[in-house]
Amino acid sequence: MRVNLTVNGEKMSADDVWEGESLLYALRERLGLPGAKNACEQGECGSCTVYLDDVPVCACLVAVGQAEGRSVVTVEGLAEGETLDEVQQAFVECGAVQCGFCTPGLIVQAHSLIASSPGIPEDAEIREALAGNLCRCTGYEKILDAVRLAAARKAAS
């Protein structure tokens, strides 16, 4: 089957897609977008988080056929050309990246939180928003620092 969708603002299609194939597999293997990571394939770790019609979802749990005609934004699509998104930049500046496997999902989820918050979210709100994203390398403090920094920059602009 053929699936047509808009990914990071660009109309794309994937051919010979198996009907039960995940959106994650299609993004990585068929469309060449390796940002969302394949870790648990059960929606438990958040490493594959992408936006589907502006809602963060675990791409491993979405059948690619469900994305037909819809809009997907991956971590790659948050940047504008070579300019990183404010959340991506904050993760770099705060050293919130270690092995990097969880980072794309954390960035998308943090981006969603900041976009929906009128000001700077409290630590409890940040922790709640990121609760579905697992990182096995850090103590999460630098991740929280990065989210706080990005939120502060957004609030100041």
Side-chain angles (χ1 to χ4, degrees), residues 22-25 27-28 33-52 55-62 72-76 100-109 132-134:
S22 71
L23 175 59
L24 176 62
Y25 184 87
L27 289 169
R28 292 180 56 80
L33 294 164
K37 302 300 182 209
N38 185 4
C40 72
E41 295 183 350
Q42 297 176 4
E44 295 291 329
C45 72
S47 294
C48 65
T49 304
V50 299
Y51 282 110
L52 180 61
V55 176
V57 298
C58 289
C60 71
L61 296 180
V62 177
V72 176
V73 177
T74 68
V75 70
E76 294 97 333
F101 210 78
C102 66
T103 306
L106 282 163
I107 287 173
V108 172
Q109 195 64 49
N133 296 77
L134 302 179

Side-chain angles (χ1 to χ4, degrees), residues 120-143:
I120 300 171
E122 298 291 327
D123 279 4
E125 293 174 280
I126 297 171
R127 289 177 190 277
E128 174 80 20
L130 301 182
N133 296 77
L134 302 179
C135 176
R136 291 174 179 87
C137 299
T138 71
Y140 292 92
E141 283 309 311
K142 290 184 179 184
I143 294 166

